[in-house]
Structure formats: C-alpha cells, structure tokens
C-alpha cells in the first residue's frame, strides 16, 4: 500500500487550516469562544508546549540509549508544579504591574531597567533557542521524507517533495505572524493562539496514545506479553539489554533539575505560563493537570522502543521509531496521524519561540540601536513590521543551522544543550523575586559567567566531536593545561558530561551572582525596584492618597502623547493614552497631586513597556522630561510630609530601618550557626557513610569467599564420594587378586612336588577364570566411575565453556552424586532428548543440578521416607529449559519471597550459610545468561524453571 504525497500534504495543510479557524474563533467576541479561551484547562494544556518533537520522537530514541532515564526530564516539571503557586503567582503579578513582555524584559525591568542585561538575555536566549528550533524543523522534514519513501510520486508530486523544506519555512513564518505577531503589544493575550496550542497538545497526546495502544494491543496481546517477549529478547539483543541497565543517580538528579528549571525559564514556557496567563488561579488547575498529561504522553515510550527493536528496526533510526513502526506494519492511516501529532509538537514550539524571540530581539537589541542613530528613528513607527522580519530571520537561521550541522553529534545533543543553556537564567530570575540585594552587576556577571562555562564544557566538546575543532582540546584543554579540560574541569572527571556542565555552570553562576551583588553598590532606585519585585505579593494600591492639586495634567498628557507618537500611529497613540489615564482614574482638564503625577509617570512607562520593553520605555520616559527636576524635588518633599503626618522623624525612621537591618543580620547570623551545625552533621554522616561503604565491601568479599567455599565444599564432597564409591570395586578386585595369588602358589607347589592331580588342575583353572572375571567386572566399574567423576570435577573446578550432550552430562552428574543418593530413599527420573547439544558452561550446570538435589535431600525429604525428583530438559527456540521438581514438603510464601536473597536460610542453627540458592541464582543469571524461577507451597513440593541460551555469549 503506497502513500499519496498529494493527500499527505493536503492533510497537513487541512490541519493547519483547522488550527487557523480555531485561532480566529478564539480571537472573536463570541461568549463561547471567550469561555473556552479563558478556561483554566486551556491554560493547562497550553503549558504542554513543553512537549516538543524532541518529546514526540526523541524520547523513544532516548529510551533505547538509557532506558527509563527520559522520565527524569518530566518528573522535574511535575515536582516543580508543587511550588508553582508561589513562583508563578509572583511572576504573573509582576508581569501585570510592570507590563512585562518577555523573559529578557523581566530581567531588564528587575535590575535597574538595564538595557544591557535585556540585550544580553535576548542574545543568549537566541543562541540557545535557534538550535532547538532547528530540531523541530528537522523532525518535520525527516518525518515527511520517511512517509514519502513509501510513495511512488508523480512528476508534479516530485516537485512538491523537492520544495517541501521551503514550503514548511514559509508556512511557519506565516502562521507565527498570524497567530502571535499581529499586534504590537505582546502583553495582550493571544486567545486564539492559546486555543490552537491547547488543540495541538490534545492532538499530539492522542497520536502518541494511539501508536501505544496499537503496539500493545494490535501487535501484541497486551503489555504483559510484550514485556515477556522483550525479556526473552534481552538475552540476545544488546540494545534491549542496555535499556534495562541502571544509570548513574547523578544523571537522574541533573535531568530532574534541568526539567524543573526549563519548565519555567525556556523563553516559550515563560511566555505561555506568565505572559499569556489570564488568571493566576488557573495555576491551581495546571498543578494537577500538567503532571497527568506528562504521565500520559510518556506512558508508551518504552513499549514502542521495545517493539521497534524486536521488529528488527535498526537502533540508529530510534528517533523515528514512532513513525516507522506503523509504516512497516502497513498501518498507513495511523502513520498519517502520527505525522500530524509530531507536526503539532514541532509547530507549537516554533511559533511561540519565534514570537518570543522576536519580541526580545526587537525591544532589547534593535530598538536601542534605533534610538542611538537618528537616521533609524523612522523604524520606531514600524516596529510591528520589524518583528515580522525578525520572525522570518529566526526561522530561516534555524533552517540554515539544520543544513549546516545536519545529522552531526551536535544536533543530536541540541535538546540537552539548549536545556543547560536556559538553566543559566534561573539564578537571576529566582534571585530577582526572592533576594532584594541582587543587583544588575551581579545578574549580568552571573549570566555571562554561567554561559561561558556552559559553552566551554558542553558546546565546545560537541563542536569538537562534530569535527569543527581539534580533538586535542578535549584531551588536554586550552594551552595543554589539564585542569582546563572541558570535560574534566579542575580535575573533576569521571562523571557524566551533562552533570559536569550543569554542576560547574550553576556553581559559577550562583557564586558570581551572590558575590558581585554583595561587593558592588546598588543604587537607591534599583533598591526600591528590588523591594517592589521581592515584596510584590505584599503590595497595596495607594490611589487613595490625594495631596494638594498643583500640577496641570494637560501639559503631561501632551508629553505622553508625543512619546507614544514616536512609536505608534496617531490612532494607536490616542488609544494608548486613554488606557493610561483610565488606569489611573484621571481625566483631562484637571489638576493632580505630585503623588498622582508619580503614578501617572509609572503608568505611562508601564504602558509603553508593553510594546517596546521595560528598559527602552524607561529611557524614553526619562528622556521626555515627563517628571522635571522641580517636580522630582517636590515629590521628595511630599514623601517627607507623609513621614511627618505619620509622626515619624528621620531619626526614628532610621532607627526602624536599623531595627529591621539588625533583625535581618540576626537572621543571617542564626543561618550561619545553622549552616555550621548542618556542615558538622554532614561530616558525621559522611564518616558514617564511609564506614557503611567499607562494611558493604567487606560483606561483598565475605559473600564471595563463602561462595568459593561453597564451591570447594562441593568439590570436597565429590572427592569423598569418589573415594568411597571406588573403594568397593577396588576392594573386591584386591580380594579376587589375593585369592588368585594363593591358588597360584598352591598350584605351583603341587606341580613342583609332583603331587598335582587332574582335579587340582581343573580347580585351579576354575578359580583363575572366576577371579579374572571378577577383576574385569570391578575394574571396569571403577574406570567408569573415575571417568564420570573426573569430568564432573574438572567442570566444577574450571570456568571453561565447551560443547556437550545435555542428556549424557546430566547422567554423569547423577552418577557423581551416587554416594549421596545411595543413603536416601529418593528416586530420580530424567526426561531429556538424547540429541540436545549445547555450547555453554558445564561446570555451572553441574553446580546448579547438584545444589538443587542437595537442597531437596536436606530440606524437602528430611521427614519423608521416600521422595521423588524429576528433571525434564527440553528446548524452546534458541533456549534450553530445565524443569526440576520434587514432591517434598515445599516452602511457604514467606520463605519463597526471600529464597534467592544472600544469607537467607531456614537452618541457621544447623550450619546453613544461606548462600546456596543465592549462588545458584547468580550462576544462572551471570554465567549461563539465563533466568531461574521457583514455585512452591507447603506440602506441595517445589518446582524450579531454569532457562538459558543453548549457545552462551
């Protein structure tokens, strides 16, 4: 069944058309549309933009490389949602009060209206995001090409295929502009975009769940059968075996941290979670809704990976297993749906990231350049068109980045590289809302330092492994300084590269932020601003404060109108002015107090900041002279009058400030004491941990010694049995030889004396014949016993692998156990095909069967006169299955639960070490590369099932 390319493209365009209609409907004034657009579930689903094509396609690829490690990236956001009420509520209130437009604008607004910081944040966010956007473009293009590979295109369709890349680029630019950059003020909610994002989240989740259900219940008869089959393949498939292996705990912690931080501070996440938030109470819905969504979208990742590998798909294509599986299974409608789901995951990320980056770059990078060079001032009224151009440039840059690096090592790691980059914004943002002493010097220095370490320890090695720089840099570091090795900075090698980068970049970032903020001087204006941000939840409105009316508002309106006209058309400037006056409940042709003037200045700056950013708005308002020098002095005097009305002298105010400062110092001192106590307890815990580790090593060595002793004891028992068993035929042989010797002496004496008679001669012949027959019979028995004992003993004492007949070898093992069995009333039956040849470790098999029989004799039949043991051996595919049963007293469920644990025994007082079953388990799993299971119940005997490959690896 072939794929129709025209139908495929039509489905994709039709889907985008549906999204466009949903967005247009959401932007309308319909009460139903407003209800859906402002519904808390729409907000919760929109946050799922966190799940990009890297999630949709890449998680299956990640699962094939590192098993369940991918879950850490999603557990992080789930855990951080517990604290989201405090963090998001602060950020949203700050956004509303200061008209924040982006993450870069937040940093600039918090830290002294610093345009330098805003520019730096915008540039670094672009550096971290463009490679990530390129992954989304790659996912769309690669998935389309995979579908096209199952088609027989016509000449017209071939043209469509050849230009598909550019079709996607144009579509992405067009829809990003239509959905997110239609208006200049990005603080206005994009209700239509939020509805389309929520729709995309539903579609990509439904697509992944559909392929998961298809895998588990169409290709298999359920999850249980799927995992049982995978367990069998685990013995022969190295990738499946690797998926089950454990990974370092520090890598789990690193990914948890990255997932949590990036859920808030990726530019697209910050925009959807903060800028587009309609009601802070929606956070409560997202707190339970998002974890459920992330759980659902990752539910079938491992089953899809396992089935793809078991189906023979190459592990090199793991990133597109989600699409290849339905294609190879001839489920083309499902393949179409999966393509649309992956397209949704990529499209949402590209749109929101491009829109957010265009806002940051325009406000924080391009606008300051325009303000500096008068020849460019005309662009101020064309900022919206400028943002369109920036959107196009970002998407085109991402596409060219994809073409440049292709399928290199760097692009494969781009997701985690971008996550580690975004982490560098976290200290400055969190410090900005919780620590008032943080200043713009500390923020700028911290971000620069963190990004520098990130680039040196993560991006540079990726570029080196992509062949762009010499390998020697990664081996010895810059100027051959070993301590500067980018993957073992300051000698900290031996850890995962991602953990290494996150640790050092975050340590340098936080340390720089704290130290620089403390040693540099913070201006009074910045300190006041810091108090506003850190105390945002405690602030109250002061519109009720009315002073003597002194200022003519019309003069100020003209100035505000002139400032707005620099950036907006006349009609939009008038509209913005009305919004500003309405916000402060002011009317033209009236006089206002100096405090009201201060609030009007802040409102004008906040309104302008919604379009051009906080830093640029602050510069524009300050340059306009809206608050002149005399009015600034009068404002200071007014605040002094307020203090007087409160009957607080400057000295008293200083005392109160000193009191709170002393209280804060006391808190800091107590914190230091607490820190010292924690460090002391940490040292003690470390010493205890070292002692426990040493004890664990000793226990491991003891276990190994006891295991070796158990093995030698078995050999000793074998030797004793050999000596005892061979003693009987040898004793009979010696008796026969002695008797023959006596008869020979008598015969010789009679012959020499001439007394030999015919009866004497016949008797001698008869005696000789009988003695020789006894000798031949018993020496043959001894030789047979020695041969079997020798083979079993050699196998048990060596670790060698060889080919042998299973039935013959089991018989030899039972023969070697004859000394133990002869004193027991137990009977053993063996049911095994005589033609089963295997290539494995006979010594391991001998030790297993010996232990099983010994355990039955010791435990199962201690109160039973007669016992029956059966050994059934057969083959199933490439595996050997041995089922061992006895009809003894069996085991309780409590004993069975701990059977294979080391040092567990029910005969501790009788000399049992508790290692027999544990050693047997290790031999089966590690030596024979198989599995062992035990079923039993009281008085029902015991049944062991041992399964291992016919040919050991």
């Amino acid at each position: 069944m072939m794929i129709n390319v025209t139908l495929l493209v039509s489905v994709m365009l039709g889907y985008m058309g549906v999204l466009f209609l949903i967005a247009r409907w959401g932007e309308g004034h319909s009460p139903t549309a407003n209800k859906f657009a402002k519904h808390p579930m729409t907000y919760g689903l929109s946050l799922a933009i966190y799940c990009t094509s890297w999630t949709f396609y890449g998680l299956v690829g990640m699962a094939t490389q590192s098993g369940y490690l991918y879950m850490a990236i999603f557990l992080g956001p789930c855990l951080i949602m517990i604290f989201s009420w405090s963090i998001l509520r602060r950020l949203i209130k700050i956004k509303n009060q200061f008209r924040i437009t982006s993450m870069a604008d937040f940093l600039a607004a918090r830290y002294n209206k610093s345009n330098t910081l805003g520019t730096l944040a915008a540039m670094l966010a672009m550096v971290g995001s463009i490679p990530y956007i390129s992954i989304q473009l790659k996912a769309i293009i690669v998935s389309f090409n995979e579908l096209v590979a199952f088609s027989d295109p016509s000449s017209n369709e071939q043209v469509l295929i050849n230009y598909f890349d550019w079709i996607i680029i144009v579509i992405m630019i067009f829809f990003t502009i239509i959905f997110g950059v239609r208006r200049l003020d990005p603080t206005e909610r994009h209700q239509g975009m939020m509805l389309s994002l929520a729709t995309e989240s539903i579609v990509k989740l439904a697509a992944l769940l559909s392929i998961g259900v298809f895998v588990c219940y169409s290709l298999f008869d359920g999850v249980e059968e799927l995992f049982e089959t995978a367990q069998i393949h685990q013995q022969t498939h190295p990738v499946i075996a690797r998926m089950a292996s454990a990974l370092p705990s520090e890598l789990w912690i690193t990914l948890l941290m990255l997932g949590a931080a990036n859920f808030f501070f990726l530019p697209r996440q910050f925009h959807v979670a903060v800028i587009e938030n309609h009601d802070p109470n929606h956070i409560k819905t997202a707190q339970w809704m998002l974890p459920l969504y992330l759980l659902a979208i990752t539910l079938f990742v491992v089953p899809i990976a396992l089935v793809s590998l078991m189906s023979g798909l190459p592990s090199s294509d793991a990133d597109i297993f989600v699409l290849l599986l339905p294609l190879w299974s001839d489920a083309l409608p499902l393949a179409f749906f999966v393509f649309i789901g992956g397209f949704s995951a990529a499209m949402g990320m590209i749109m929101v990231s491009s829109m957010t980056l265009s806002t940051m770059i325009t406000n924080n990078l391009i606008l300051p350049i325009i303000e500096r060079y008068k020849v460019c001032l005309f662009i101020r009224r064309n900022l919206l068109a400028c943002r369109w151009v920036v959107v196009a440039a970002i998407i085109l840059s991402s596409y060219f980045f994809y073409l440049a690096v292709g399928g290199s090592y760097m692009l494969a790691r781009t997701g985690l590289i971008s996550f580690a980059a975004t982490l560098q914004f976290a200290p400055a943002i969190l410090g900005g809302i919780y620590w008032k002493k943080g200043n713009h010097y500390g923020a700028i220095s911290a971000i620069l330092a963190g990004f520098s370490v990130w680039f040196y320890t993560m991006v540079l090695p990726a570029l080196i492994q992509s062949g762009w720089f010499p390998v020697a840099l990664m081996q010895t570091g810059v100027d051959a300084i070993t301590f500067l090795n980018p993957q073992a900075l300051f000698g900290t090698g031996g850890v995962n590269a991602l953990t290494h980068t996150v640790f050092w970049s975050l340590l340098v970032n936080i340390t720089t932020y704290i130290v620089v903020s403390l040693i540099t001087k913070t201006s009074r204006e910045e300190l006041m601003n810091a108090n506003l941000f850190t105390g945002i939840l405690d602030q109250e409105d002061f519109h009720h404060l009315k002073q003597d009316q002194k200022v003519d508002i019309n003069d100020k309106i003209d100035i505000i109108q002139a400032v707005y006209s620099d950036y907006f058309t006349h009609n939009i400037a008038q509209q913005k002015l009305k919004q500003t006056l309405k916000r402060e409940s002011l009317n033209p042709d009236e006089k206002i107090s100096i405090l009201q003037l201060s609030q009007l200045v802040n409102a004008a700056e906040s309104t302008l900041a919604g379009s051009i950013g906080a830093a640029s708005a602050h510069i524009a308002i300050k340059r306009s002279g809206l608050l002149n020098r005399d009015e600034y002095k009068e404002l200071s005097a007014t605040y002094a009058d307020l203090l007087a009305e409160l009957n607080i002298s400057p000295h008293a105010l200083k005392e109160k400030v000193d009191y709170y400062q002393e209280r804060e110092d006391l808190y800091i001192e107590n914190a230091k004491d607490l820190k010292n106590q924690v460090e002391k307890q940490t040292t003690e815990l470390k010493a205890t941990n070292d002692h426990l580790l040493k004890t664990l090593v000793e226990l491991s060595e003891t276990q190994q010694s006891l295991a070796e002793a158990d093995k030698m004891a078995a050999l000793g028992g074998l030797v004793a049995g050999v000596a005892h068993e061979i003693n009987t035929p040898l004793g009979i042989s010696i008796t026969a030889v002695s008797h023959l010797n006596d008869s020979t002496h008598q015969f010789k004496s009679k012959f020499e004396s001439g007394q030999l008679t015919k009866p004497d001669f016949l008797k001698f012949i008869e005696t000789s014949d009988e003695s020789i027959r006894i000798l031949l019979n018993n020496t043959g028995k001894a030789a047979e016993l020695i041969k079997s004992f020798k083979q079993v003993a050699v196998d048990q004492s060596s670790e060698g692998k060889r080919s042998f007949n299973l039935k013959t070898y089991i018989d030899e093992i039972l023969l070697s156990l004859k000394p133990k069995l002869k004193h027991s009333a137990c009977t053993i039956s063996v049911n095994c095909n005589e033609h089963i040849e295997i290539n494995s470790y006979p010594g391991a098999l001998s030790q297993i069967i010996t232990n099983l029989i010994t355990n039955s004799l010791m435990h199962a039949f201690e109160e039973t006169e007669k016992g029956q043991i059966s050994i059934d051996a057969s083959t199933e595919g490439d595996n050997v299955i041995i089922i061992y049963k006895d009809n003894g007293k069996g085991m309780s469920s409590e004993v069975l639960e701990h059977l294979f644990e080391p040092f567990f025994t029910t005969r501790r007082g009788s000399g049992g070490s508790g290692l027999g079953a544990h050693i047997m388990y290790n031999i089966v799993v590690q030596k024979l590369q198989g599995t062992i299971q035990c079923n039993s119940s009281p008085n029902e005997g015991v049944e062991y099932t041992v399964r291992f490959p016919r040919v050991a690896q």
Side-chain angles (χ1 to χ4, degrees):
M1 186 175 179
M2 303 298 291
I3 286 178
N4 187 306
V5 177
T6 303
L7 176 62
L8 174 62
V9 175
S10 299
V11 169
M12 183 187 72
L13 294 177
Y15 174 67
M16 297 189 74
V18 171
L19 290 179
F20 178 75
L21 292 176
I22 291 173
R24 287 295 301 271
W25 178 67
E27 294 286 1
H29 300 289
S30 165
T32 305
N34 285 329
K35 179 181 178 181
F36 274 95
K38 295 178 180 179
H39 197 279
M41 293 190 73
T42 300
Y43 176 75
L45 285 170
S46 299
L47 290 177
I49 193 177
Y50 180 80
C51 302
T52 65
S53 65
W54 191 55
T55 298
F56 193 89
Y57 291 112
L59 284 191
V60 174
M62 188 175 180
T64 63
Q65 296 293 323
S66 49
Y68 289 92
L69 183 64
Y70 70 92
M71 290 297 297
I73 300 174
F74 295 90
L75 286 174
C78 293
L79 293 175
I80 201 65
M81 286 305 292
I82 299 173
F83 309 99
S84 62
W85 176 245
S86 172
I87 299 173
L88 282 179
R89 195 158 56 106
R90 288 173 178 268
L91 293 174
I92 291 168
K93 190 168 183 180
I94 290 170
K95 180 263 299 187
N96 291 333
Q97 182 164 327
F98 294 90
R99 305 276 287 176
I100 301 298
T101 62
S102 65
M103 187 173 64
D105 197 28
F106 173 90
L107 290 168
R110 163 62 177 84
Y111 295 101
N112 203 32
K113 308 292 174 64
S114 172
N115 192 65
T116 302
L117 179 56
T119 302
L120 176 65
M123 292 176 64
L124 294 177
M126 182 174 64
V127 169
S129 297
I130 283 181
Y132 203 10
I133 295 174
S134 71
I135 292 182
Q136 315 308 312
L137 294 173
K138 177 187 178 183
I140 296 173
I141 294 168
V142 170
S143 58
F144 177 82
N145 290 335
E146 288 295 335
L147 288 171
V148 167
F150 285 78
S151 68
D152 185 16
S154 63
S155 57
N156 291 333
E157 288 178 332
Q158 190 60 51
V159 174
L160 189 63
I161 294 170
N162 294 338
Y163 289 97
F164 179 79
D165 294 13
W166 289 104
I167 292 173
I168 286 297
I169 298 300
V170 172
I171 288 175
M172 287 300 168
I173 293 173
F174 175 77
F175 273 83
T176 300
I177 292 173
I178 291 297
F179 282 162
V181 199
R182 282 193 295 149
R183 294 186 297 270
L184 183 61
D185 190 345
T187 61
E188 296 179 15
R189 290 190 71 251
H190 301 80
Q191 292 187 174
M193 185 190 73
M194 294 293 281
L195 273 177
S196 66
L197 288 178
T199 304
E200 288 175 340
S201 296
I202 294 172
V203 170
K204 63 191 177 189
L205 175 60
L208 267 183
L209 291 178
S210 296
I211 185 67
V213 171
F214 171 76
V215 162
C216 294
Y217 299 99
S218 181
L219 300 181
F220 285 82
D221 291 330
V223 178
E224 184 177 357
E225 183 190 10
L226 190 157
F227 279 97
E228 287 177 355
T229 307
Q231 190 174 18
I232 296 173
H233 281 79
Q234 182 179 334
Q235 309 301 325
T236 57
H237 201 300
V239 179
I240 296 178
R242 183 176 62 209
M243 289 177 64
S245 60
L247 288 165
S249 58
E250 68 268 12
L251 192 53
W252 277 87
I253 295 172
T254 302
L255 290 177
L256 280 171
M257 185 186 302
L258 284 178
N262 280 270
F263 183 75
F264 279 152
F265 304 128
L266 278 169
R268 68 177 188 276
Q269 291 297 132
F270 188 91
H271 183 87
V272 173
V274 178
I275 306 300
E276 292 290 345
N277 179 271
H278 170 71
D279 184 352
N281 288 320
H282 290 177
I283 302 170
K284 296 177 181 179
T285 300
Q287 282 184 298
W288 61 262
M289 186 176 183
L290 187 77
L292 289 179
Y293 183 95
L294 296 180
L295 174 64
I297 207 167
T298 58
L299 191 61
F300 291 104
V301 168
V302 170
I304 293 171
L306 290 174
V307 173
S308 300
L309 292 170
M310 290 187 292
S311 300
L313 293 176
S315 58
S316 57
D317 291 335
D319 285 341
I320 52 173
F321 276 171
V322 174
L323 186 63
L324 288 179
L325 201 55
L327 284 175
W328 285 98
S329 303
D330 207 28
L332 296 190
L334 181 58
F336 269 48
F337 190 29
V338 169
F339 172 76
I340 294 299
F343 180 81
S344 295
M347 181 182 175
M349 186 274 177
I350 293 173
M351 285 196 314
V352 180
S353 294
S354 301
M355 179 188 72
T356 305
L357 288 174
S358 71
T359 301
M360 289 194 286
I361 293 168
T362 305
N363 290 354
N364 300 101
L365 185 59
I366 296 177
L367 195 56
I369 295 175
I370 294 173
E371 298 287 354
R372 178 172 295 182
Y373 300 99
K374 293 184 178 180
V375 70
C376 300
L377 290 179
F378 73 94
I379 302 177
R380 291 192 302 194
R381 289 194 178 184
N382 298 283
L383 284 180
L384 187 57
C386 187
R387 283 190 181 139
W388 296 349
V389 173
V390 173
V391 165
I394 289 170
I395 294 177
L396 284 170
S397 299
S398 301
Y399 177 66
F400 290 132
F401 180 86
Y402 158 63
L403 293 179
V405 301
S408 71
Y409 176 80
M410 184 177 181
L411 189 61
R413 297 190 65 199
T414 297
L416 292 177
I417 290 174
S418 296
F419 270 29
T422 306
L423 183 65
Q424 307 312 314
F425 294 117
I429 294 176
L430 292 176
I433 61 176
Y434 288 107
W435 191 46
K436 65 181 180 181
K437 290 188 177 181
N439 61 27
H440 71 287
Y441 296 111
I444 293 173
S445 303
I447 292 175
L448 279 174
F451 266 90
S452 298
V453 175
W454 162 79
F455 181 87
Y456 185 75
T457 60
M458 196 165 199
V459 178
L460 181 60
L463 293 172
I464 291 172
Q465 296 190 37
S466 296
W468 293 10
F469 290 97
V471 178
L473 277 175
M474 198 160 59
Q475 295 172 343
T476 58
V478 177
D479 294 332
I481 302 175
T482 306
F483 267 28
L484 296 181
N485 184 330
Q487 290 193 319
L489 205 59
F490 304 116
T492 55
V495 296
N496 178 270
L498 181 62
T499 303
H500 176 263
T501 294
V502 169
F503 172 79
W504 281 112
S505 63
L506 207 55
L507 177 64
V508 170
N509 191 321
I510 295 173
T511 303
T512 303
Y513 176 69
I514 295 173
V515 172
V516 174
S517 293
L518 291 176
I519 65 175
T520 55
K521 186 177 180 180
T522 304
S523 67
R524 183 175 61 179
E525 183 180 0
E526 184 175 4
L527 186 58
M528 291 173 61
N529 203 44
N531 287 328
L532 289 174
F533 272 67
T534 56
I536 190 70
L537 298 181
D538 301 322
Q539 292 175 20
E540 298 176 357
D541 294 328
F542 294 97
H543 295 290
H544 63 280
L545 292 175
K546 301 289 183 181
Q547 300 299 314
D548 295 335
Q549 297 181 355
K550 298 178 181 180
V551 182
D552 188 346
I553 194 174
N554 286 317
D555 296 336
K556 303 304 178 183
I557 288 176
D558 292 339
I559 295 174
I560 296 172
Q561 176 73 31
V563 173
Y564 286 173
S565 297
D566 287 339
Y567 301 94
F568 312 113
T569 63
H570 178 74
N571 291 335
I572 295 178
Q574 287 285 348
Q575 183 181 356
K576 295 286 184 183
L577 178 60
K578 290 179 181 179
Q579 290 176 356
T580 304
L581 295 175
K582 183 179 179 181
R583 179 178 174 182
E584 297 302 317
S585 302
L586 298 176
N587 298 311
D589 301 322
E590 70 176 4
K591 292 185 178 294
I592 57 175
S593 70
I594 194 66
L595 285 178
Q596 287 177 301
L597 175 60
S598 173
Q599 293 166 11
L600 177 61
V601 170
N602 291 332
E605 182 177 324
S606 177
T607 300
L608 191 59
S611 297
I612 67 173
S616 298
H618 179 69
I619 294 172
I621 295 295
K622 189 174 183 180
R623 185 177 57 229
S624 70
L626 186 58
L627 188 66
N628 60 39
R629 183 181 297 272
D630 292 336
E631 289 165 343
Y632 183 80
K633 290 181 178 178
E634 190 171 350
L635 180 63
S636 299
T638 300
Y639 279 120
D641 291 341
L642 287 175
L643 291 177
E645 290 181 12
L646 293 172
N647 197 23
I648 298 177
S649 65
H651 179 71
L653 179 62
K654 182 178 183 302
E655 285 183 345
K656 289 183 177 293
V657 172
D658 290 342
Y659 163 74
Y660 286 110
Q661 184 63 48
E662 289 174 3
R663 189 173 69 172
E664 183 175 352
D665 293 340
L666 182 61
Y667 287 155
I668 293 173
E669 184 64 30
N670 289 335
K672 289 181 180 178
D673 294 339
L674 181 60
K675 179 182 178 182
N676 292 335
Q677 293 180 14
V678 170
E679 288 177 350
K680 181 180 178 181
Q681 292 180 3
T682 302
T683 302
E684 294 174 353
L685 285 173
K686 185 177 182 300
T688 303
N689 185 59
D690 291 341
H691 178 70
L692 289 173
L693 184 61
K694 181 180 178 182
T695 303
L696 183 62
V697 172
E698 291 176 353
L699 282 173
S700 178
E701 291 175 351
T702 301
Q703 178 181 348
Q704 187 175 356
S705 299
L706 287 173
E708 191 65 27
D710 183 85
K711 181 177 178 180
M712 296 308 296
L715 283 174
L718 182 64
V719 170
V722 167
H724 182 274
E725 200 65 25
I726 295 178
N727 184 57
T728 300
L730 287 180
I732 294 173
S733 298
I734 291 171
T735 301
V737 169
S738 298
H739 181 62
L740 180 61
N741 184 54
D742 292 340
S743 298
T744 301
H745 282 298
Q746 291 176 6
F747 178 81
K748 181 181 178 182
S749 176
K750 289 183 179 182
F751 175 76
E752 289 176 350
S753 63
Q755 298 178 358
L756 184 64
T757 63
K758 183 178 180 180
D760 292 334
F761 181 79
L762 293 175
K763 183 179 180 182
F764 176 73
I765 294 298
E766 182 181 354
T767 300
S768 298
D769 182 63
E770 182 180 1
S771 298
I772 291 171
R773 180 173 53 78
I774 292 172
L775 281 171
L776 287 174
N777 186 36
N778 284 277
T779 53
K781 287 182 180 180
E784 184 181 354
L785 287 170
I786 290 171
K787 180 181 177 182
S788 298
F789 292 153
K790 179 181 178 183
Q791 183 61 65
V792 174
V794 168
D795 287 338
Q796 284 194 6
S797 61
S798 69
E799 303 293 332
K801 183 179 75 169
R802 66 180 177 87
S803 297
F804 57 93
N805 181 278
L806 183 60
K807 175 66 166 60
T808 302
Y809 194 68
I810 291 176
D811 289 341
E812 290 180 351
I813 295 171
L814 295 180
L815 187 59
S816 70
L817 291 174
K818 188 176 179 182
K820 289 185 178 181
L821 295 172
K822 69 186 299 181
H823 300 294
S824 169
C826 177
T827 60
I828 300 178
S829 63
V830 178
N831 180 21
C832 178
N833 190 303
E834 296 182 354
H835 302 293
I836 299 178
E837 299 289 334
I838 65 176
N839 189 338
S840 190
Y841 298 91
L845 183 61
S846 171
Q847 197 166 355
I848 291 167
I849 293 178
T850 300
N851 281 0
L852 288 173
I853 293 175
T854 302
N855 283 344
S856 293
L857 295 178
M858 181 181 297
H859 300 285
F861 304 130
E862 59 182 352
E863 298 175 359
T864 306
E865 294 182 358
K866 292 184 179 181
Q868 294 180 355
I869 295 174
S870 66
I871 301 175
D872 295 316
S874 61
T875 58
E876 184 180 280
D878 295 331
N879 292 323
V880 175
I881 301 175
I882 296 178
I883 300 177
Y884 176 93
K885 296 181 180 179
D886 71 34
N887 64 342
K889 66 178 184 179
M891 289 180 279
S892 65
S893 57
E894 291 79 8
V895 173
L896 192 63
E897 182 180 357
H898 302 284
L899 177 63
F900 295 118
E901 293 180 4
F903 306 109
F904 175 78
T905 178
T906 58
R907 300 173 65 91
R908 182 75 64 191
S910 304
S913 67
L915 281 172
H918 177 65
I919 292 170
M920 183 168 58
Y921 177 86
N922 286 338
I923 292 172
V924 173
V925 174
Q926 298 176 13
K927 196 68 176 178
L928 295 183
Q929 302 149 23
T931 60
I932 182 171
Q933 294 179 331
C934 180
N935 293 317
S936 182
S937 56
N939 301 319
E940 295 295 333
V942 68
E943 177 180 319
Y944 288 88
T945 302
V946 180
R947 183 189 301 265
F948 59 92
R950 292 183 66 172
V951 178
Q953 298 295 322

